[in-house]
Amino acid sequence: MLVHVITHGCQMNEYDTHTILSELVAGGHQIVDTPADAELIILNTCAVRGKPVEKVISLLGEFRKQKLAGRDLTVGMMGCLAQLEEGQALAKKFGVDILVGPGAITDILKAIEAVETRGESFWSLDFKDDLHSYLTPPPNTLTGFLTIMRGCNHHCTYCIVPQTRGPEVSRSLESIMHEARAMQAAGVQEIYLLGQNVNSYGLGRPDLPSFAELLRLVAATGIPRVKFTTSHPMNFTSDVIDAMAECDNVCKYIHLPVQSGSDRVLRRMAREYRRARYLEIIAEIKAKIPDVVISTDIIVGFPGETEEDFEATLTLYDEVGFDHAYMFMYSARPGTPSYKHFKDLPREVKTERLGRLIERQKYWSNRRNARWVGRNLRVLVKEVATDGQYLVGHSDQNHTVLVPKEQVRTLGLHEVRIDSATPHTLYGTVAGFATEAIPLMMAS
Ligand code: 5AD
Ligand code: SF4
């Protein structure tokens, strides 16, 4: 079959798409670049906020219209929304043929067979024990995503993820290291360790190393760069900070979602730390890792958030001086405790606060990015930017960096002198080459 996959949501979903694509290719199917050319379109969905759900609804509506108009199209739905009753109701309403939850993605070939040979629809919502097959990265892959654990044992009251991805399961050390070495052998320059809560890797499992130990083991392969996401402040222990400080190839970049600066709100969110503890962790990180870059997630307008609570978020932002933040308006998700028990704030209040927070983020990102001007950063140059004039890459500290296209003949790691900065992007000049690189012709 000719298949196209559309991915929404986080990096976990991108990794799942990669798994699905490998399975499809192994099963003799062909991947096409545009939905118009496909016989099967798979939507890898996200359910964390209302907006990505609305996007899925509009796509499903579009596909149904095309089917009614006579297009021979099979539609598949996977990802977090597929695991929820909400998603299953949509699947029924829009005549989705294949529905596989995040715990069952390896069922995809079975699903296609059921549809193709028996004309049946196929649903699978199981949580399988080991979803991980060894994936050889496609040629010229620079960044390898490597899932080390799945699921989440926290119960933040706003969050649907514990329901969609189930409880935490850590992957075996052997299979992680096998995949890391396979990536290295295939020329991958950067390994991104992924999990809903990477810091609880191995918790309660005496047969597994801790996350800090795992980080050191992956770094010891000698891969040029190791990054990881996402961390929960609750499990962000000193040994992780030490491993980051001591391993040269572990990137000095930390994404540590705080969600709110107010203890009252943190309690209602059931986040297990308080403002003072979060600031203590940040202080330790800054003391041990000079020039570290820190980003966060913040939700504004959580039910019951007062002006005073919101101002506490702003002052926390100033105290940390985040390099970057992902900011979200609270979205009441059916099935979460906060949806059931708390009353949503008026939309105008949420919009107004989000606007103020974005102003603060711009101010800080501008200031934090400006500190790199005149200095060299190591940049993994990955692809041609949309305007065609620049190549785009990411620094060790996860900045988006643009360099003029004519200065680069190969993709891969480069030394770049930073010339100017905006809140979102650094602009630089190539100052030197780095590791094994991929000829630029292959970048298009
Ligand atoms: N509303 C708004 N933002 C949310 N997030 C998770 N659930 C919600 C929700 N119901 C945000 C959190 C999380 C990020 C991935 O998405 O900030 O860290
Ligand atoms: Fe990722 Fe969470 Fe969205 Fe699922 S719901 S795709 S885990 S962000």
Side-chain angles (χ1 to χ4, degrees):
M1 262 192 165
L2 301 174
V3 192
H4 181 76
V5 183
I6 299 171
T7 312
H8 294 145
C10 64
Q11 284 160 324
M12 297 292 284
N13 263 14
E14 292 200 20
Y15 179 90
D16 287 350
T17 291
H18 174 50
T19 308
I20 289 270
L21 291 176
S22 317
E23 296 266 338
L24 290 168
V25 171
H29 300 283
Q30 195 186 329
I31 311 301
V32 293
D33 290 339
T34 52
D37 295 334
E39 294 160 330
L40 163 64
I41 299 177
I42 300 176
L43 278 174
N44 191 0
T45 61
C46 172
V48 84
R49 283 175 293 277
K51 256 204 196 133
V53 177
E54 283 161 26
K55 242 193 258 169
V56 170
I57 294 173
S58 102
L59 282 169
L60 288 177
E62 179 57 33
F63 298 150
R64 185 174 58 175
K65 220 164 50 187
Q66 294 179 10
K67 276 171 127 175
L68 289 174
R71 180 174 174 193
D72 185 12
L73 178 68
T74 304
V75 176
M77 182 166 160
M78 54 185 265
C80 288
L81 188 57
Q83 197 66 32
L84 299 175
E85 270 171 31
E86 187 185 0
Q88 290 145 28
L90 288 171
K92 280 190 192 138
K93 181 171 165 200
F94 289 100
V96 164
D97 307 283
I98 294 172
L99 186 117
V100 286
I105 52 177
T106 43
D107 272 347
I108 191 68
L109 291 180
K110 239 198 292 173
I112 294 178
E113 197 195 323
V115 173
E116 259 191 323
T117 59
R118 300 192 293 281
E120 296 165 357
S121 59
F122 182 99
W123 284 31
S124 177
L125 297 166
D126 305 343
F127 282 96
K128 310 224 178 259
D129 287 345
D130 193 4
L131 279 181
H132 308 287
S133 35
Y134 301 126
L135 304 174
T136 311
N140 304 326
T141 302
L142 292 169
T143 301
F145 293 112
L146 205 170
T147 297
I148 61 167
M149 53 87 64
R150 287 177 171 267
C152 184
N153 283 356
H154 294 275
H155 293 284
C156 306
T157 52
Y158 51 80
C159 191
I160 199 76
V161 169
Q163 285 168 59
T164 63
R165 294 205 173 243
E168 288 173 1
V169 181
S170 293
R171 186 175 171 185
S172 81
L173 178 63
E174 192 195 356
S175 103
I176 293 172
M177 293 311 291
H178 188 294
E179 197 162 323
R181 284 192 210 100
M183 285 179 179
Q184 190 183 23
V188 165
Q189 301 289 305
E190 163 181 86
I191 289 183
Y192 226 123
L193 302 177
L194 295 183
Q196 229 62 58
N197 181 14
V198 289
N199 311 101
S200 39
Y201 178 80
L203 276 187
R205 289 274 306 270
D207 56 321
L208 294 180
S210 66
F211 177 65
E213 287 160 351
L214 177 71
L215 198 54
R216 287 180 193 270
L217 288 169
V218 175
T221 59
I223 198 102
R225 259 189 192 178
V226 184
K227 291 183 182 173
F228 59 88
T229 200
T230 281
S231 302
H232 192 296
M234 177 66 185
N235 311 102
F236 205 88
T237 43
S238 298
D239 57 349
V240 177
I241 304 174
D242 294 339
M244 290 184 73
E246 286 162 28
C247 300
D248 285 342
N249 54 348
V250 174
C251 287
K252 311 308 176 214
Y253 163 65
I254 299 178
H255 180 66
L256 198 61
V258 66
Q259 313 299 1
S260 169
S262 153
D263 281 351
R264 218 177 60 88
V265 175
L266 288 171
R267 196 171 345 104
R268 285 163 68 88
M269 288 178 166
R271 300 286 287 177
E272 299 97 330
Y273 56 89
R274 297 292 169 259
R275 176 190 178 104
R277 172 69 192 131
Y278 186 87
L279 290 172
E280 210 175 270
I281 301 170
I282 296 289
E284 183 180 348
I285 292 170
K286 287 183 175 174
K288 288 181 175 167
I289 311 175
D291 275 340
V292 66
V293 164
I294 303 172
S295 64
T296 196
D297 288 345
I298 295 174
I299 297 177
V300 299
F302 187 77
E305 182 188 76
T306 62
E307 174 60 25
E308 197 188 346
D309 293 322
F310 175 65
E311 280 168 16
T313 297
L314 294 179
T315 60
L316 177 122
Y317 205 116
D318 289 341
E319 276 186 53
V320 178
F322 290 108
D323 293 79
H324 187 65
Y326 300 89
M327 299 157 288
F328 309 103
M329 243 194 276
Y330 170 73
S331 167
R333 302 294 297 125
T336 58
S338 63
Y339 174 87
K340 203 164 153 202
H341 300 297
F342 300 144
K343 192 166 165 286
D344 205 356
L345 287 178
R347 197 174 169 86
E348 314 82 76
V349 175
K350 296 197 279 187
T351 314
E352 192 265 342
R353 288 182 188 162
L354 183 63
R356 277 154 74 198
L357 183 63
I358 291 172
E359 283 312 307
R360 194 58 58 111
Q361 178 264 324
K362 275 195 206 145
Y363 166 81
W364 274 108
S365 294
N366 223 352
R367 235 178 108 163
R368 301 294 289 165
N369 281 352
R371 73 185 155 136
W372 300 100
V373 174
R375 292 166 69 182
N376 278 11
L377 287 177
R378 195 173 65 145
V379 177
L380 184 61
V381 178
K382 292 178 186 166
E383 59 196 356
V384 180
T386 35
D387 71 350
Q389 308 285 309
Y390 288 94
L391 291 182
V392 62
H394 286 97
S395 70
D396 282 355
Q397 295 81 352
N398 214 42
H399 305 99
T400 302
V401 183
L402 294 180
V403 290
K405 196 175 162 195
E406 65 275 7
Q407 294 181 0
V408 179
R409 274 181 304 281
T410 56
L411 299 181
L413 286 161
H414 291 70
E415 278 294 310
V416 174
R417 200 193 65 237
I418 303 304
D419 300 320
S420 63
T422 70
H424 292 293
T425 314
L426 302 180
Y427 291 83
T429 311
V430 172
F433 292 103
T435 56
E436 301 141 57
I438 298 169
L440 183 53
M441 311 112 61
M442 311 191 91
S444 55

